[in-house]
Amino acid sequence: MADISDKYKDNVRGKFYVDHQCIDCDLCQETAPDNFKRNENKGHSFVYKQPTSKAEKERCDDAKSGCPVDAIGDNGG
């Protein structure tokens, strides 16, 4: 389970975030490319845009449920 106190500072403020458990597998970027990006210098994903439509939210939910290390949280503020 993702830990909000351990989230990357790259994440934009909002419900979804990626924490330090990320293994840089790219699944979230493939699932929700409008919302997740890779930090090329540090080798991890992060939320660069919170979902603004139902379809984007569903893709973010899919990315969260598919994350192999549970590094995506949806309890951010």
Side-chain angles (χ1 to χ4, degrees):
M1 174 180 269
D3 181 354
I4 194 167
S5 67
D6 197 28
K7 69 180 182 176
Y8 285 111
K9 293 182 189 258
D10 310 52
N11 293 289
V12 295
R13 186 174 181 198
K15 180 178 178 173
F16 288 94
Y17 62 90
V18 178
D19 75 4
H20 284 83
Q21 296 178 87
C22 179
I23 59 171
D24 197 26
C25 72
D26 293 337
L27 182 129
C28 61
Q29 296 167 59
E30 293 172 7
T31 305
D34 295 329
N35 305 95
F36 293 87
K37 278 189 181 179
R38 181 175 192 264
N39 180 317
E40 296 292 335
N41 295 326
K42 296 183 181 176
H44 65 80
S45 297
F46 65 96
V47 177
Y48 76 95
K49 177 184 170 281
Q50 293 293 328
T52 56
S53 69
K54 181 179 177 182
E56 282 186 1
K57 184 191 176 303
E58 288 173 355
R59 288 190 292 270
C60 287
D61 286 335
D62 289 346
K64 179 183 182 292
S65 65
C67 180
V69 294
D70 294 325
I72 300 172
D74 63 358
N75 61 328

